[in-house]
């Protein structure tokens, strides 16, 4: 394969003509190049910042490849220059996964080819192969136009993120029975530290496939993922706003109630806005409960035009909300009033509708307009789901303890979803029990909220000590005291299995960074 030269606009220079008969023109070119260099940022000065603005770095060079050949050339260049590589997409990761200093940052946003879906006899289902920079929305749109129309059985709420990030870091939706998104993968291709393309599949090598799918960017530069998809389906989505106490009172009573409801739904999601009713009384507060069930008989509730208008409206609502929340973060004492106001305006009325799967799964547009901080962890649900109630209620109790002292470090939402265990070694929901259910629970606050790091660390510590919780790699977790030795102690067997495979494809640590070095490289 012929590897094309790297084209890095930030470092292009005008070269002088070596023809001695044209010295004047050569000098002129050299002078123009000199002055142009004064106004062209050098590679070492190009700063990268993630969407939430809580992570940034200054790579030695930043690349925007558009082809496989360019990806290979970047890896070869890094090997020759002895530089490390990390990749980034839309930058929606809160952890420092993409942070690289004095190395190469590869932005994969232009790697966005979607190959035509194909029917797989092996899986008795449809599959689609995508490059790592493909947007969730773009894949949804292509699958919807396919004959027959297709869809993923589960997905994240955001449709503005890219598959290389959400799959390699083990992201998930709310579909309890279809596991995490990486568990929909049938094949992944990765360019290793020598520039070789490696194909991983369960049929070829189950152990390496379990490492390569949720690979954290540590096996190389991801080129493609192949996903299992299915014929388009409809979801009957209901929204209810019961009292908090209806599901989160006594663990021994409410746990079984939660279990029955969650296992009978295709998807279930809980939200809690702090202080969503007047007065600092948890007994008055309500939750937002979303439930999805597949239907073949109920008609669609809205037309494509109506659905597009709804998302347009949501975008404008979140733009207004950003300013309101910025004010709240700067003036913490107004937190109870602002949350009561927004909950009253946007929630509280029970609704139901029938939508095509992508519209139901991506039910909220404009989330990008609300920069926030987010800690999420996963833990194995016990037999009667009582530990779910305990985990949830601890946050509520801490919230009101802080409020009684005039402190409001948690001000946006607590969210909870449920998935079956994953077979991927580095997944937060990894388990050898294929029927185990994992609770994915997170707390979010507006950017620049005073005390969030301390509050979320305390919550994480409780979940870790009580339920052996593991962090969602894409969210915040590195600020939690003692989390690296904790993870090594509780998960060393699976991490060491992953490390053995990582070393095979990256023996010198070209793709390692500080985020995972202590956990994987230890």
């Amino acid at each position: 394969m012929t590897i094309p030269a790297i084209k890095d606009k930030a470092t292009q220079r005008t070269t002088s003509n070596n023809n001695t008969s044209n010295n004047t023109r050569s000098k002129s070119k050299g002078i123009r190049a000199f002055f142009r260099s004064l106004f062209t940022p050098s590679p070492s000065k190009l700063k990268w910042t993630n969407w939430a603005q809580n992570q940034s770095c200054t790579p030695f060079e930043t690349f925007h490849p558009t082809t496989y050949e360019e990806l290979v050339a970047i890896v070869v260049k890094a090997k020759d220059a002895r530089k490390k590589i990390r990749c980034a997409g839309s930058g929606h990761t809160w952890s420092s996964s993409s942070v690289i200093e004095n190395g190469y940052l590869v932005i994969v946003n232009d790697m966005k080819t979607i190959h035509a879906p194909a029917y797989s006899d092996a899986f008795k289902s449809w599959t689609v192969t995508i490059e790592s920079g493909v947007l969730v929305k773009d894949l949804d749109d292509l699958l919807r136009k396919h004959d027959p129309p297709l869809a993923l059985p589960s997905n994240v709420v955001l449709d503005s993120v890219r598959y290389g990030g959400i799959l390699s870091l083990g992201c998930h939706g709310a579909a309890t029975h279809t596991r995490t998104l990486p568990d929909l993968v049938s094949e992944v291709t990765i360019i290793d530290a020598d520039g070789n393309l490696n194909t991983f599949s369960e049929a070829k090598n189950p152990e390496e496939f379990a490492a390569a799918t949720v690979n954290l960017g540590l096996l190389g530069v991801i080129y493609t993922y192949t996903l299992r998809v299915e014929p388009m389906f409809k979801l009957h989505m209901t929204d209810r706003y019961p009292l908090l106490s209806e599901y989160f009172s006594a663990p021994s009573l409410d746990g079984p109630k939660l279990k029955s409801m969650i296992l009978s739904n295709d998807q279930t999601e809980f939200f809690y806005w702090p202080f969503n009713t007047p007065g600092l009384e948890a007994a008055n507060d309500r939750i937002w409960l979303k439930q999805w069930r597949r239907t073949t008989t109920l008609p669609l509730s809205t037309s494509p035009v109506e659905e597009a208008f709804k998302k347009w409206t949501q975008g404008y609502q979140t733009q207004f909300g950003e300013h309101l929340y910025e004010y709240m973060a700067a003036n913490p004492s107004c937190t109870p009033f602002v949350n009561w106001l927004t909950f009253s305006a946007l929630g509280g009325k029970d609704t139901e509708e029938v939508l095509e799967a992508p519209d139901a799964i991506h039910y909220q547009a404009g989330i990008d307009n609300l920069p926030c901080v987010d800690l999420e962890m996963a833990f194995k649900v016990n037999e009667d789901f009582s530990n779910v109630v305990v985990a949830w209620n601890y946050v509520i109790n801490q919230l009101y303890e802080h409020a009684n002292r005039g402190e409001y470090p948690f001000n946006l939402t607590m969210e909870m979803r449920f998935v079956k265990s994953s077979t991927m070694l580095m997944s937060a929901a990894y388990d050898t029990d294929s029927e185990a259910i994992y609770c994915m629970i997170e707390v979010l606050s507006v950017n620049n909220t005073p005390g969030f790091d301390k509050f979320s660390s305390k919550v994480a510590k409780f979940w870790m000590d009580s339920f052996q919780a593991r962090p969602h790699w894409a969210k915040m977790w590195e600020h939690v005291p003692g989390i690296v030795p904790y993870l090594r102690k509780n998960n060393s067997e699976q991490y060491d299995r992953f490390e053995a495979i990582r070393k095979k494809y990256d023996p010198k640590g070209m793709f390692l960074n500080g985020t995972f070095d202590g956990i994987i490289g230890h």
Side-chain angles (χ1 to χ4, degrees):
M1 178 179 293
T2 301
I3 299 175
I6 295 293
K7 297 179 181 179
D8 190 336
K9 293 181 181 179
T11 60
Q12 285 181 341
R13 301 285 194 276
T14 301
T15 57
S16 62
N17 192 328
N18 289 327
N19 190 337
T20 56
S21 65
N22 203 355
N23 287 335
T24 301
R25 189 168 63 183
S26 297
K27 290 179 180 178
S28 177
K29 284 185 177 181
I31 292 171
R32 289 199 301 270
F34 169 74
F35 280 104
R36 185 163 59 248
S37 71
L38 296 178
F39 301 98
T40 303
S42 66
S44 61
K45 294 180 181 178
L46 297 176
K47 185 177 180 179
W48 174 86
T49 303
N50 67 342
W51 165 81
Q53 300 178 359
N54 71 312
Q55 299 288 351
S56 64
C57 63
T58 308
F60 182 78
E61 286 192 65
T62 300
F63 300 93
H64 299 266
T66 60
T67 66
Y68 164 75
E69 288 79 10
E70 289 180 355
L71 285 179
V72 172
I74 293 167
V75 174
V76 171
K77 181 177 180 178
K79 181 181 179 182
D80 292 343
R82 298 183 180 180
K83 295 291 184 183
K84 288 180 175 289
I85 292 179
R86 293 301 293 172
C87 296
S90 300
H92 276 81
T93 298
W94 280 266
S95 72
S96 62
S97 171
S98 294
V99 169
I100 185 76
E101 298 289 352
N102 197 36
Y104 292 168
L105 181 64
V106 180
I107 307 295
V108 300
N109 294 352
D110 293 326
M111 300 295 301
K112 51 189 178 183
T113 298
I114 303 173
H115 297 276
Y119 188 80
S120 168
D121 291 325
F123 296 106
K124 304 299 180 185
S125 67
W126 290 86
T127 64
V128 61
T129 298
I130 57 175
E131 290 184 337
S132 59
V134 169
L135 280 170
V136 168
K137 183 182 186 305
D138 289 346
L139 181 57
D140 283 344
D141 291 346
L142 183 141
L143 292 176
R144 206 191 295 249
K145 294 174 184 176
H146 186 264
D147 183 17
L150 302 169
L152 272 77
S154 178
N155 216 320
V156 295
V157 177
L158 277 170
D159 65 2
S160 56
V161 290
R162 300 177 190 273
Y163 279 102
I166 63 177
L167 293 169
S168 66
L169 293 173
C171 295
H172 61 93
T176 303
H177 304 289
T178 52
R179 309 182 193 278
T180 68
L181 263 69
D183 291 283
L184 299 174
V185 172
S186 61
E187 185 177 278
V188 55
T189 62
I190 301 174
I191 301 166
D192 65 23
D194 289 321
N196 300 316
L197 185 68
N198 299 278
T199 300
F200 302 88
S201 68
E202 188 170 20
K204 183 178 179 181
N205 188 319
E207 179 77 354
E208 291 200 350
F209 177 69
T213 305
V214 180
N215 59 71
L216 313 179
L218 298 175
L219 269 65
V221 177
I222 304 160
Y223 177 44
T224 63
Y225 275 106
T226 300
L227 290 160
R228 291 189 291 272
V229 294
E230 59 184 81
M232 180 64 70
F233 58 96
K234 296 181 292 185
L235 286 167
H236 180 205
M237 182 172 69
T238 61
D239 293 275
R240 292 180 54 229
Y241 300 87
L243 285 170
L244 177 65
S245 58
E246 183 175 331
Y247 289 100
F248 299 99
S249 182
S252 60
L253 296 176
D254 293 328
K257 186 191 303 183
L258 286 172
K259 178 179 181 179
S260 176
M261 178 186 65
I262 291 164
L263 295 185
S264 66
N265 289 332
D266 287 290
Q267 305 186 37
T268 309
E269 192 160 9
F270 290 87
F271 295 91
Y272 170 74
W273 268 266
F275 322 115
N276 61 64
T277 52
L280 297 179
E281 290 290 340
N284 299 327
D285 284 347
R286 294 183 177 273
I287 57 173
W288 175 15
L289 170 58
K290 290 187 72 70
Q291 300 175 78
W292 295 261
R293 291 181 182 175
R294 295 194 183 207
T295 178
T296 58
T297 57
L298 295 175
L300 293 173
S301 302
T302 62
S303 68
V305 173
E306 290 171 326
E307 190 62 27
F309 178 76
K310 180 176 72 175
K311 294 186 181 302
W312 178 82
T313 303
Q314 290 175 338
Y316 271 92
Q317 288 173 339
T318 53
Q319 285 180 13
F320 169 76
E322 178 190 9
H323 302 297
L324 189 62
Y325 284 137
E326 284 177 351
Y327 179 84
M328 179 177 67
N331 300 273
S333 62
C334 75
T335 299
F337 174 75
V338 170
N339 274 304
W340 167 76
L341 181 67
T342 54
F343 187 81
S344 300
L346 302 177
K349 182 181 179 182
D350 293 355
T351 60
E352 62 177 310
E353 53 187 337
V354 177
L355 302 171
E356 287 190 329
D359 296 323
I361 292 169
H362 309 303
Y363 56 85
Q364 176 64 58
I367 298 175
D368 297 60
N369 295 327
L370 298 172
C372 59
V373 282
D374 182 356
L375 173 137
E376 179 178 351
M377 304 200 86
F379 64 87
K380 189 174 182 177
V381 175
N382 62 4
E383 178 60 31
D384 65 356
F385 279 48
S386 59
N387 61 350
V388 172
V389 181
V390 174
W392 181 277
N393 283 346
Y394 180 79
V395 179
I396 306 295
N397 293 336
Q398 288 299 309
L399 170 75
Y400 278 98
E401 282 187 21
H402 281 76
N404 289 332
R405 300 195 297 266
E407 301 169 355
Y408 303 96
F410 165 43
N411 60 22
L412 193 52
T413 187
M414 175 162 56
E415 184 178 353
M416 186 164 66
R417 291 164 283 179
F418 300 85
V419 295
K420 272 193 175 180
S421 61
S422 174
T423 61
M424 308 307 166
L425 288 173
M426 297 306 296
S427 171
Y430 171 79
D431 205 296
T432 56
D433 179 1
S434 62
E435 295 302 309
I437 303 292
Y438 272 74
C439 173
M440 320 297 287
I441 185 168
E442 58 191 310
V443 289
L444 300 91
S445 282
V446 180
N447 270 11
N448 303 313
T449 296
F452 177 78
D453 280 9
K454 185 176 180 181
F455 178 88
S456 59
S457 292
K458 187 174 183 180
V459 168
K461 188 70 163 54
F462 177 80
W463 292 339
M464 289 155 58
D465 291 344
S466 303
F467 317 120
Q468 290 74 56
R470 296 190 287 248
H472 185 334
W473 302 117
K475 306 295 176 70
M476 295 172 62
W477 55 271
E478 294 153 286
H479 66 292
V480 178
I483 193 166
V484 171
Y486 161 85
L487 290 171
R488 284 299 312 167
K489 177 181 178 181
N490 287 278
N491 306 282
S492 60
E493 188 272 338
Q494 72 206 63
Y495 291 176
D496 288 347
R497 286 164 59 194
F498 176 88
E499 170 67 352
I501 296 165
R502 185 201 67 78
K503 282 185 174 180
K504 176 180 176 181
Y505 295 96
D506 182 23
K508 296 183 179 180
M510 176 188 289
F511 302 101
L512 270 176
N513 74 344
T515 312
F516 304 112
D517 197 18
I519 294 171
I520 305 302
H522 61 100

